[in-house]
Amino acid sequence: DAGITQSPRHKVTETGTPVTLRCHQTENHRYMYWYRQDPGHGLRLIHYSYGVKDTDKGEVSDGYSVSRSKTEDFLLTLESATSSQTSVYFCAIRGQGLAQYFGPGTRLLVL
Amino acid sequence: KNEVEQSPQNLTAQEGEFITINCSYSVGISALHWLQQHPGGGIVSLFMLSSGKKKHGRLIATINIQEKHSSLHITASHPRDSAVYICAVTGGGSQGNLIFGKGTKLSVKP
């Protein structure tokens, strides 16, 4: 357990509304990641961070933004949610070496 | 073509059977990971390896770097092994993110 929590764990929202998902870690890891998991696609990288205020895009970043103002928090924002962003979102951290540890996930439904 | 391919996609076994899940990749890697995800559950790392073989209980993971292939074996399978098993690789870059296969759904019947 790498001390990773995600909030909220479940969310239902309407198309066009902004949504922010939070990932919180307690162990001061430098690298943090946001992935989404979809049937038929598996897990895909949205954005990642390699330090406070240092972020970069992943494979499926369109429609998403991120921020990291503190080491422990990595926020994922959907500026204007669409139905295609209905998914399960996982945060992960890079531990010792190349090991990755995942948060419990957030189920997002966009109606 | 996906950078990480797993087979089979679905696998049904009887309790006690020996199970093999295969993973092939087409990119340079720093490490290969096997992950487990139970229905509705989180993702747990089973193994991370860059060469050879690792064993943990009834689970064995092997990797052949030259052939860009890895296998996950489960000996004496049990219904509690029913889960989705995901192969993932860490690429050669510094960002350290994972590139995932689409997973193998394993169902072990009693």
Side-chain angles (χ1 to χ4, degrees):
Chain A
D1 182 1
I4 307 168
T5 57
Q6 292 184 230
S7 58
R9 294 292 314 280
H10 302 270
K11 186 167 182 68
V12 181
T13 192
E14 292 187 349
T15 297
T17 60
V19 176
T20 296
L21 309 183
R22 180 182 182 236
C23 177
H24 179 79
Q25 57 140 332
T26 59
E27 298 187 1
N28 219 33
H29 294 287
R30 181 181 169 199
Y31 284 84
M32 299 183 75
Y33 308 88
W34 277 108
Y35 298 101
R36 60 178 288 176
Q37 185 177 37
D38 304 288
H41 292 280
L43 286 142
R44 293 174 292 175
L45 178 69
I46 306 171
H47 280 278
Y48 69 98
S49 170
Y50 47 98
V52 172
K53 295 190 178 9
D54 293 322
T55 65
D56 207 347
K57 296 179 180 180
E59 177 189 354
V60 290
S61 60
D62 285 350
Y64 301 95
S65 62
V66 289
S67 65
R68 193 167 177 201
S69 58
K70 299 184 289 184
T71 300
E72 58 265 35
D73 288 327
F74 191 30
L75 304 181
L76 178 71
T77 297
L78 291 65
E79 301 290 348
S80 177
T82 68
S83 58
S84 65
Q85 293 176 310
T86 291
S87 187
V88 181
Y89 292 85
F90 286 97
C91 172
I93 61 94
R94 179 171 152 187
Q96 203 163 24
L98 296 171
Q100 283 208 11
Y101 303 96
F102 291 81
T106 294
R107 291 186 175 273
L108 176 67
L109 175 61
V110 183
L111 300 174
Chain B
K1 187 179 185 300
N2 294 326
E3 293 169 302
V4 181
E5 298 273 5
Q6 283 185 241
S7 63
Q9 279 188 293
N10 294 282
L11 182 55
T12 300
Q14 288 299 125
E15 184 173 356
E17 286 184 358
F18 180 85
I19 289 163
T20 296
I21 299 170
N22 294 299
C23 176
S24 296
Y25 54 92
S26 58
V27 294
I29 68 168
S30 302
L32 184 138
H33 308 252
W34 282 102
L35 311 169
Q36 181 191 56
Q37 186 176 28
H38 281 102
I43 299 168
V44 174
S45 178
L46 297 174
F47 295 103
M48 182 179 72
L49 63 167
S50 55
S51 65
K53 176 179 175 178
K54 287 191 176 180
K55 184 175 190 288
H56 185 252
R58 295 179 294 105
L59 274 59
I60 304 165
T62 64
I63 188 168
N64 184 317
I65 297 293
Q66 286 72 33
E67 294 186 4
K68 295 190 173 181
H69 181 269
S70 176
S71 293
L72 177 69
H73 305 286
I74 304 175
T75 62
S77 59
H78 190 276
R80 65 174 174 267
D81 297 325
S82 298
V84 175
Y85 292 84
I86 302 168
C87 174
V89 299
T90 307
S94 62
Q95 59 267 35
N97 62 285
L98 298 184
I99 305 168
F100 300 85
K102 293 184 179 179
T104 295
K105 185 176 181 180
L106 172 65
S107 177
V108 182
K109 306 293 186 188

